[in-house]
Amino acid sequence: LLQSREDCKLFLEAAELTGYKNLLDGAGLCTVFAPVDTAFASWLSAKGYGTVQEACQTHPEEMKLLIAYHLVEQSFSRTQLLNFQMSEIETPGTVGTSPGLCFKSYAKESVTEEYDQALRQNVKVYHREKYLPVISTKMFETKNVDPESTYRQFFPSVNWTGDKDQLYVMNACMVESGLPTDNGYVYILDRMESPLRTLYTALENPEDKFV
């Protein structure tokens, strides 16, 4: 489906260079949030890169994390994302009447070594998968608050396209949503989104290029 489109070529190139082509080809179930080429090109320019290949060669691990962040585990239709409820972490994908917020992506940082102040020695830190916020406007209906002004408190740069039955991914809005494929669904975004950092990494690297 993505290969048949003319507006997602940069994302496909990056997926292949970072090792996720097999997943897109059907190696597993996934929900893809693919940014359009104009959004990807804008992101590359803002980070000082001329091409996708340059970005992948300069920061291979970061680019792998970035692309994986746009790939969510399991297959979620538009209806499921609008009305998602995760009852338990061990049993993801349960569909209920309450809208959900975050979905487990394939993005996972490599094992790092940190200094433990209590033990006074270096220890290995194993990281969990990062979660992608996919916000349903139905959440605001349940809270009885103004959707746009509330949402902009967290993601002020969002291209707000409406309050009724809409999906947003951080500052990105859906150009198209719930496109069915053999191994999942595809959602087309109007901008790239980088993985959210923890408080600790934000304090350690306030000028991090991959904010």
Side-chain angles (χ1 to χ4, degrees):
L1 185 145
L2 289 172
Q3 287 176 339
S4 69
R5 300 178 64 98
E6 294 296 323
D7 58 353
C8 293
K9 294 186 180 299
L10 294 180
F11 178 76
L12 283 176
E13 180 185 355
E16 183 166 6
L17 289 173
T18 54
Y20 287 101
K21 187 175 185 298
N22 286 340
L23 179 63
L24 296 181
D25 285 344
L29 291 176
C30 65
T31 303
V32 180
F33 295 89
V36 293
D37 284 343
T38 53
F40 208 137
S42 177
W43 183 90
L44 288 171
S45 177
K47 302 301 179 185
Y49 300 119
T51 64
V52 171
Q53 186 173 14
E54 180 187 350
C56 291
Q57 289 176 343
T58 307
H59 286 94
E61 289 300 316
E62 289 89 342
M63 285 299 294
K64 183 176 181 179
L65 195 71
L66 177 72
I67 298 306
Y69 195 55
H70 290 76
L71 306 174
V72 165
E73 294 184 9
Q74 303 302 320
S75 173
F76 296 103
S77 68
R78 173 179 167 80
T79 300
Q80 287 175 307
L81 291 183
L82 283 170
N83 301 283
F84 184 86
Q85 179 181 3
M86 182 178 285
S87 57
E88 296 180 10
I89 294 178
E90 291 77 18
T91 56
T94 303
V95 178
T97 56
S98 300
L101 295 174
C102 296
F103 298 79
K104 185 188 289 187
S105 74
Y106 281 90
K108 186 176 182 179
E109 295 176 334
S110 302
V111 177
T112 58
E113 192 170 273
E114 309 288 345
Y115 183 76
D116 189 310
Q117 296 286 353
L119 297 176
R120 296 184 179 181
Q121 65 183 35
N122 289 338
V123 296
K124 289 185 177 180
V125 178
Y126 295 85
H127 302 275
R128 295 180 179 271
E129 294 84 354
K130 292 184 177 293
Y131 281 76
L132 180 71
V134 182
I135 313 299
S136 166
T137 54
K138 287 191 174 183
M139 179 187 70
F140 303 108
E141 295 177 15
T142 65
K143 301 301 180 182
N144 207 19
V145 296
D146 178 69
E148 183 175 359
S149 62
T150 304
Y151 194 89
R152 287 190 184 279
Q153 293 184 41
F154 299 93
F155 303 107
S157 301
V158 65
N159 177 22
W160 192 262
T161 56
D163 302 347
K164 184 65 175 176
D165 292 346
Q166 295 290 327
L167 294 167
Y168 296 92
V169 179
M170 297 161 71
N171 282 304
C173 74
M174 305 284 182
V175 177
E176 296 179 58
S177 61
L179 305 177
T181 71
D182 290 340
N183 63 312
Y185 290 88
V186 173
Y187 296 81
I188 308 299
L189 305 183
D190 72 339
R191 64 182 295 167
M192 287 279 288
E193 292 297 349
S194 297
L196 293 172
R197 296 186 298 167
T198 66
L199 174 63
Y200 306 105
T201 55
L203 289 172
E204 289 174 358
N205 305 289
E207 304 300 326
D208 192 339
K209 187 172 186 174
F210 278 81
V211 174

